[in-house]
Amino acid sequence: MGKGCTAVIVAAGTAQRMCGIDKMMTKLRGVPLLLRTVRALAASEKITDIIIVTRKELVQEARELCEQDAKRICAVVAGGSSRAESVLRGLEAVRTELVAIHDGARPLVSMRVIEEVIAAAEKYGAAAPAIPVHDTIKVAQNGIVAQTPDRSTLFAVQTPQVFRTEAIRTALRAALEKNLPLTDDCSAMEAAGYPVHLTAGEEENLKITVPSDLILAEAILKRRENP
């Protein structure tokens, strides 16, 4: 393993909640969303290589789209049937000690978020950005509230999530063998007994999930371009 940090951008989902919009290729202020995500990561000198994992039918389009602009793209690969399988396919091409796994649908991630979480992973081995939860959360069973967790202990975790490469490879393989339900990559590390350290995320590091998120992202980009 060489020094540095490879970014694995996971963009292999089917976007079922986007009402038929192919969010990876939809444009935000004239630039395809996936390309904006690539550019955000490529802007950091801590990211030495970039690997894109996308749907099989988008591999060639993604390669042509991004290679003309981002010099650090080293591979574009087809994803698997689940997020964990897609991440593992991306990890096969990683040759650096650290890997930053990032949602392709988070194009607004800032340099500060990227570099702080990488620095934490360099120190601790596993780190993720997160923001405090502002709403009161209820745990319910059969439509009845069973518990109200202490809001001060709750955080919404974002990406990039950064790990030592061999550790996350091992953790993801073990989680898949056990058929564990994984909602993010930190979950695999937690299941394997690794402590994951949290860094400060940002409200603007939103994940484009539903069509209204595109409107919000457009507004954020417009403000950034015209402060």
Side-chain angles (χ1 to χ4, degrees):
M1 286 292 174
K3 296 290 185 181
C5 181
T6 297
V8 172
I9 298 175
V10 187
T14 57
Q16 294 180 354
R17 288 171 284 183
M18 287 298 292
C19 300
I21 299 171
D22 187 342
K23 65 182 177 183
M24 287 298 107
M25 295 303 170
T26 195
K27 291 185 178 181
L28 288 174
R29 295 191 66 77
V31 178
L33 188 154
L34 177 60
L35 183 54
R36 282 199 176 275
T37 302
V38 169
R39 287 177 176 176
L41 292 164
S44 171
E45 292 185 358
K46 286 184 173 289
I47 300 294
T48 52
D49 300 292
I50 296 174
I51 296 164
I52 298 172
V53 186
T54 190
R55 302 195 309 276
K56 183 178 181 180
E57 66 271 20
L58 285 181
V59 168
Q60 186 58 35
E61 185 176 357
R63 184 178 290 121
E64 293 172 356
L65 175 70
C66 297
E67 284 186 347
Q68 63 182 330
D69 186 82
K71 304 302 182 185
R72 277 176 277 180
I73 301 290
C74 62
V76 180
V77 301
S81 59
S82 68
R83 179 188 170 86
E85 290 177 0
S86 294
V87 172
L88 277 172
R89 290 189 181 185
L91 288 173
E92 289 175 2
V94 176
R95 299 292 180 265
T96 53
E97 290 183 358
L98 290 179
V99 59
I101 303 170
H102 187 62
D103 296 323
R106 289 187 191 268
L108 304 179
V109 62
S110 71
M111 183 83 70
R112 181 197 66 76
V113 168
I114 294 168
E115 299 199 342
E116 284 187 6
V117 72
I118 291 175
E122 288 172 341
K123 183 176 182 180
Y124 300 113
I131 56 175
V133 171
H134 301 304
D135 294 329
T136 296
I137 303 298
K138 301 290 186 181
V139 178
Q141 296 178 350
N142 300 318
I144 305 298
V145 173
Q147 182 183 356
T148 304
D150 179 359
R151 187 171 60 186
S152 68
T153 67
L154 301 177
F155 293 83
V157 179
Q158 303 177 335
T159 67
Q161 298 178 2
V162 187
F163 314 99
R164 292 196 177 98
T165 303
E166 288 303 330
I168 186 61
R169 276 184 184 144
T170 301
L172 280 171
R173 286 169 182 158
L176 282 173
E177 287 176 4
K178 297 175 183 176
N179 200 30
L180 297 180
L182 301 179
T183 54
D184 70 348
D185 304 295
C186 287
S187 300
M189 293 291 278
E190 294 159 23
Y194 289 93
V196 178
H197 291 255
L198 298 182
T199 59
E202 290 177 350
E203 296 283 352
E204 290 188 358
N205 185 21
L206 62 92
K207 184 177 181 181
I208 307 299
T209 304
V210 295
S212 59
D213 292 331
L214 292 170
I215 298 171
L216 179 55
E218 286 270 358
I220 292 170
L221 285 167
K222 184 177 181 180
R223 179 182 53 75
R224 288 182 179 181
E225 294 167 4
N226 302 284

